[in-house]
Amino acid sequence: MPLFGNSFSPKKTPPRKWASLSNLHLLDRSTREVELGLEYGTPTMNLAGQSLKFENGHWVSDSGSFLGDRRELQRLRKRNQQLEEENNLLRLKVDILLDMLSETTAESHLMEKELEELKQHSQRKK
């Protein structure tokens, strides 16, 4: 028998019947859009004076200045292609240099091994 008794014994709370008292989850999508105004339209943003909107998974210029954008885009694509070609050439050069280094290292190890064998052979003759 405890000295002070078991005065703290919390009761379990009863489980809830519904997670929400709102009946909005019972409405279909079109009714919810009409009732709650869930139709927002296409997302738009303004960056550096250029207005863009999101359509079909891509950001599209909202303004009518497509010629400047196309020229800039074409110039950037050309520069990107040049950089990719340069990157590929540099990777090839690095691969060739690594092959040359590994070949030279292997030859150096073979020469060191032959030198050690010659030293041991010359010491045996003496």
Side-chain angles (χ1 to χ4, degrees), residues 93-110:
K93 286 182 178 181
V94 166
D95 286 342
I96 290 172
L97 286 173
L98 286 174
D99 288 345
M100 291 171 63
L101 177 65
S102 61
E103 183 180 345
T104 305
T105 304
E107 288 176 358
S108 172
H109 285 300
L110 284 175

Side-chain angles (χ1 to χ4, degrees), residues 30-44:
S30 60
T31 309
R32 275 187 276 171
E33 286 178 0
V34 171
E35 291 290 325
L36 301 174
L38 296 178
E39 186 59 40
Y40 298 115
T42 59
T44 58

Side-chain angles (χ1 to χ4, degrees), residues 37-100:
L38 296 178
E39 186 59 40
Y40 298 115
T42 59
T44 58
M45 71 175 165
N46 190 4
L47 288 175
Q50 192 75 298
S51 179
L52 302 169
K53 62 182 177 179
F54 193 75
E55 288 182 350
N56 299 326
H58 299 286
W59 287 100
V60 180
S61 176
D62 200 20
S63 62
S65 63
F66 284 104
L67 283 168
D69 291 340
R70 285 185 184 161
R71 287 186 195 137
E72 181 70 15
L73 184 62
Q74 190 175 23
R75 185 187 68 78
L76 289 174
R77 283 185 180 160
K78 184 177 180 182
R79 179 70 176 143
N80 189 25
Q81 185 177 359
Q82 289 173 348
L83 290 173
E84 284 179 358
E85 289 173 0
E86 182 180 349
N87 194 17
N88 289 337
L89 178 66
L90 291 173
R91 284 183 184 180
L92 179 64
K93 286 182 178 181
V94 166
D95 286 342
I96 290 172
L97 286 173
L98 286 174
D99 288 345
M100 291 171 63

